[in-house]
């Protein structure tokens, strides 16, 4: 267990703290001075136009991307070049990708057990039992011995969620988990995510599913041009956006 | 409901119809068909005669060969030399044991339901070289020593190919990973190694290993010729292998690397559990291709005075006691190579089918 940092006695510390973070791709300034604190159990939805840096931002939180300036502190550990810190953080942060990224050469069950067995050193029996529990939670225990290539997109994404949960992470990151899915499959994935949100998981979710944002989010963050333009609770965000850019974005996406 | 009674339509095979459509559709095709048929008939007959009907199979010395057909007697009389080289007769059981172990490890791989075939295969890859290391040269466990200069024939070919194959795969994997490493020094070393070895013909490598290497080695350090050839072959082959494997690594989508990273697997587990299994599976045809060409390239050791199967046959066909047996000798060599290379190829197809998990990237 992590002891709370001593610099903030009494106050519940942010499990994710991003302070003055910048990132460049070569000369291109993708993320500009981002500041964000996420408390344990908070559910955050990030939205914004294409190319605004949403993916880049949440990929920085488990260091799939490197930031060049500022601080990212996850669960009390600052992300630096230190590989051991990175691996520790990644164990506590699960991630779900737009294109599922399941391992096609392993069965669903093996996909789920891989990291618990090899990283957490959980005994195989135990890992499999726990994986089955999570597969049940995402409602596909009967597919456990199939290969990912034999499942539908919605099923694959639910496996991907179960795989991330098997590491018993403290934080879950979602990068547009439903945008590669056919409309009839979106709901089955969203249902799983709503259920997860209800269980008290800290969640950061890039999505354009505004219905989802309204139901579960504690806070909606709007990004544009690599900046956090506005953040507010969903009700406020949707009914009374402050910034012109937010208003324009909401008009566009709610128009259809 | 008709779905349960509907069967996929079978393609009926009607020979006459097929022939009319494919072989005799129009005057041009008919002429071609007849011409090819004529050639087949006139050439297959004499070939059959030479190979079997007029051939001499039995007898005890060269005079038993009539010279009309093939003199297979030559092969059977000198078979011992072709297989064992100069390995002493009374110790050849040691080589036989190795042949037997080789067969026991790999033949079951073709039989789908053979019990424990996985373990036999693992023994073939890891155990066999160790057993062979003690058994073939002897000199320990009370086994009489046999100098490597006495090894030869098929046995030598298999030793060269087997060690070359088994050792070059892991070295090739490391080189391929190194070449894609983010650490510039490691990457540089691997690039130089691969590019240098790959750009040199195997003959040159063998020459350098046997003639030049001793000049550089300090006085008293004396590698056997065979060991030097083996090292040369292995390193040369690894460079090729590395490039084949790198092709596989590059074909793995970035999402696989990211998913493995996000799970906190770390570099070696990511590579060993997620990336390499997929990459190697993808390049099985390329790997096997490299294996097969190595198998055949081992014949080049003749040039540094090692007598592999081709070498032993070549030195025998010039034996004055036997007249005009060159064709028989080379046909025999070709047949031996074909058997092994075809075996490797079949096995790889088998493996590909077994590893297919029905995904398409
Ligand atoms: N590897 C890279 N190298 C250079 N530029 C990149 C790279 N990855 C992303 N970018 C650029 O960074 C910007 C932000 O990309 P990002 O993928 O974070 O956007 P996004 O908000 O997730 O968009 P989308 O909604 O389309 O997924 C884009 O302009 C993109 O072109
Ligand atoms: Mg994105």
């Amino acid at each position: 267990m992590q002891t709370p940092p001593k610099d903030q006695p009494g106050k519940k510390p942010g499990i994710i703290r991003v302070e003055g973070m910048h990132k460049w791709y070569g000369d291109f300034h993708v993320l500009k001075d981002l500041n964000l604190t996420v408390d344990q159990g908070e559910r955050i939805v990030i939205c914004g136009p294409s190319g605004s840096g949403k993916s880049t931002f949440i990929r920085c939180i488990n260091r799939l991307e490197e930031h060049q300036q500022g601080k990212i502190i996850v669960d009390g550990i600052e992300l630096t070049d230190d590989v051991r810190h990175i691996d520790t953080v990644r164990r506590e942060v699960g991630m779900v990708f737009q294109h599922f990224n399941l391992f096609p050469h392993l069965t669903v069950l093996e996909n789920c057990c891989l990291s618990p067995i090899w990283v957490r050193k959980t005994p195989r029996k135990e890992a499999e039992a726990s994986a089955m529990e999570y597969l049940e939670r995402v409602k596909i225990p009967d597919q456990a011995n199939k290969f990912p290539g034999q499942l539908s997109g919605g099923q694959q994404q639910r496996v991907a969620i179960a795989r991330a949960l098997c590491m018993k992470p403290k934080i879950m990151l979602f990068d547009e988990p439903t945008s590669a899915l056919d409309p009839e499959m979106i709901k089955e994935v969203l249902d799983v995510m709503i259920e997860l949100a209800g269980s008290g998981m800290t969640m950061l979710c890039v999505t354009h599913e505004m219905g989802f944002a309204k139901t579960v989010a504690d806070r909606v963050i709007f990004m544009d041009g690599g900046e956090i333009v506005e953040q507010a609770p969903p009700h406020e965000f949707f009914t009374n956006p402050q910034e012109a850019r937010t208003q324009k974005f909401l008009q566009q996406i709610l128009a259809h | 409901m008709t779905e349960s009674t509907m069967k996929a339509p079978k393609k009926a095979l009607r020979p006459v119809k097929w022939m009319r459509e494919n072989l005799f559709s129009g005057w041009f095709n008919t002429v071609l068909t007849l011409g090819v048929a004529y050639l087949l008939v006139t050439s297959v007959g004499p070939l059959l005669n030479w190979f079997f009907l007029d051939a001499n199979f039995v007898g005890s010395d060269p005079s038993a060969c009539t010279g009309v057909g093939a003199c297979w007697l030559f092969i059977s009389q000198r078979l011992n030399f072709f297989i064992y080289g100069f390995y002493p007769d009374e110790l050849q059981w040691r080589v036989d044991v190795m042949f037997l172990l080789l067969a026991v490890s790999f033949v079951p791989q073709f039989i789908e339901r053979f019990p424990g075939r996985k373990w036999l295969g693992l023994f073939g890859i890891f155990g066999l070289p160790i057993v062979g290391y003690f058994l073939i040269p002897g000199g320990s466990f009370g086994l009489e020593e046999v100098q490597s200069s006495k090894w030869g024939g098929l046995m030598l070919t298999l030793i060269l190919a087997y060690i070359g194959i088994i050792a070059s795969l892991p070295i090739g994997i490391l080189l391929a990973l190194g070449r894609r490493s983010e650490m510039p020094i490691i990457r540089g070393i691997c690039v130089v190694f691969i590019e240098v070895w790959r750009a040199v013909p195997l003959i040159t490598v063998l020459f350098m290993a046997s003639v030049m290497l001793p000049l550089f080695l300090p006085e008293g350090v004396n590698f056997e010729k065979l060991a030097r050839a083996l090292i040369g072959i292995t390193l040369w082959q690894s460079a090729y292998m590395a490039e084949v494997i790198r092709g596989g690594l590059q074909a793995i989508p970035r999402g696989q690397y990211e998913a493995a990273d996000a799970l906190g697997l770390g570099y070696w587990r990511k590579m060993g559990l997620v990336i390499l299994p997929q990459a190697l599976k993808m390049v099985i045809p390329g790997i096997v291709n490299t294996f097969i060409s190595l198998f055949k390239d081992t014949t080049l050791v003749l040039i540094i005075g090692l007598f592999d199967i081709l070498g032993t046959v070549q030195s025998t066909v010039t034996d004055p006691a036997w007249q005009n047996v060159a064709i028989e000798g080379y046909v025999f060599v070709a047949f031996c190579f074909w058997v092994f290379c075809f075996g490797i190829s079949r096995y790889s197809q088998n493996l590909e089918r077994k590893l297919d998990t029905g995904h398409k990237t």
Side-chain angles (χ1 to χ4, degrees), chain B residues 87-350:
Chain B
Y87 211 87
D89 283 353
E90 69 280 7
L91 299 176
Q92 283 172 4
W93 63 269
R94 280 153 49 174
V95 183
D96 293 335
V97 168
M98 291 307 292
F99 280 136
L100 188 72
L101 288 176
L102 188 71
V104 167
S105 324
F106 290 107
V107 173
Q109 306 302 325
F110 292 96
I111 305 164
E112 203 58 50
R113 301 212 181 283
F114 199 91
R117 66 176 188 156
K118 190 167 141 200
W119 297 109
L120 288 174
L122 284 177
F123 170 78
I125 292 170
F126 297 106
L128 205 60
I130 298 173
V131 177
Y133 179 78
F134 291 107
L135 202 56
I136 302 273
S140 52
F141 298 113
L143 294 169
E144 194 183 320
E145 192 176 337
V146 182
Q147 294 277 318
S148 69
S149 55
K150 294 209 171 119
W151 309 359
L154 179 64
M155 158 199 162
L156 184 69
T157 298
L158 288 179
I159 290 175
L160 289 168
Y162 198 75
I163 307 233
I165 286 172
I166 295 221
S168 65
L169 189 58
I171 301 178
I173 290 176
L174 289 179
L175 285 171
L177 292 178
R179 187 163 188 172
R180 284 172 58 79
S181 160
E182 276 161 22
M183 284 174 265
I185 296 179
I186 292 183
R187 190 171 56 228
I189 291 173
C190 291
V191 169
V192 169
F193 183 97
I194 291 171
E195 296 303 338
V196 166
W197 282 91
R198 207 162 53 125
V200 181
L202 182 56
I203 285 202
T204 319
V205 172
L206 290 171
F207 257 128
M208 303 242 269
S210 89
V211 184
M212 281 175 64
L213 197 61
L215 300 179
F216 297 122
L217 288 177
E219 200 73 36
V221 177
N222 192 15
F223 261 132
E224 286 183 64
K225 187 152 66 174
L226 178 62
R228 280 174 303 182
L230 265 177
I231 293 173
I233 289 179
T234 304
L235 294 181
W236 182 80
Q237 179 73 5
S238 317
Y240 271 93
M241 197 54 78
E243 287 299 281
V244 173
I245 292 166
R246 188 164 69 96
L249 291 175
Q250 266 161 354
I252 303 296
R254 211 165 65 118
Q256 293 288 310
Y257 290 88
E258 290 177 352
D261 281 336
L263 286 168
L265 284 173
Y267 181 80
W268 291 106
R269 284 182 289 234
K270 169 174 74 177
M271 288 304 171
L273 298 169
V274 176
I275 306 300
L276 279 173
Q278 295 182 62
L280 292 179
K281 186 174 103 183
M282 203 175 287
V283 294
I284 286 176
I287 293 179
V288 171
N289 204 17
T290 328
F291 282 172
I292 288 179
S293 60
L294 172 69
F295 199 99
K296 294 179 293 184
D297 283 343
T298 55
T299 49
L300 292 174
V301 294
L302 185 60
I303 217 131
I304 55 167
L306 293 172
F307 282 83
D308 73 325
I309 185 164
L310 182 63
T312 52
V313 170
Q314 203 156 355
S315 68
T316 326
V317 293
T318 53
D319 182 349
W322 295 87
Q323 304 285 323
N324 298 325
V325 287
I327 302 180
E328 288 86 339
Y330 291 123
V331 167
F332 171 71
V333 173
F335 178 73
C336 289
F337 274 102
W338 181 80
V339 166
F340 281 99
C341 293
F342 185 65
I344 297 177
S345 154
R346 292 306 302 185
Y347 176 58
S348 82
Q349 286 173 19
N350 207 331

Side-chain angles (χ1 to χ4, degrees), chain A residues 25 28 30 48-57 175-176 208, chain B residues 254:
Chain A
Y25 280 125
F28 178 51
V30 214
S50 183
S52 55
K54 310 178 295 287
S55 298
T56 310
F57 177 40
D175 190 2
E176 305 203 31
H208 293 123
Chain B
R254 211 165 65 118

Side-chain angles (χ1 to χ4, degrees), chain A residues 55-117:
Chain A
S55 298
T56 310
F57 177 40
I58 74 164
R59 288 155 58 86
C60 281
I61 291 170
N62 64 354
R63 194 110 176 155
L64 287 184
E65 302 286 352
E66 223 173 286
H67 62 281
Q68 279 94 24
Q69 200 181 310
K71 269 189 192 174
I72 300 178
I73 300 164
V74 180
D75 198 20
I77 300 168
E78 178 169 1
L79 283 170
T80 56
D81 281 333
D82 193 329
V83 180
R84 278 165 306 156
H85 285 187
I86 296 174
D87 280 338
T88 319
V89 166
R90 283 176 178 169
R91 264 169 243 173
E92 305 304 332
V93 180
M95 182 153 195
V96 175
F97 300 86
Q98 183 174 2
H99 295 287
F100 333 131
N101 296 350
L102 293 175
F103 305 135
H105 62 302
L106 300 176
T107 64
V108 164
L109 191 62
E110 287 166 340
N111 262 282
C112 292
C113 293
L114 191 72
S115 205
I117 290 176

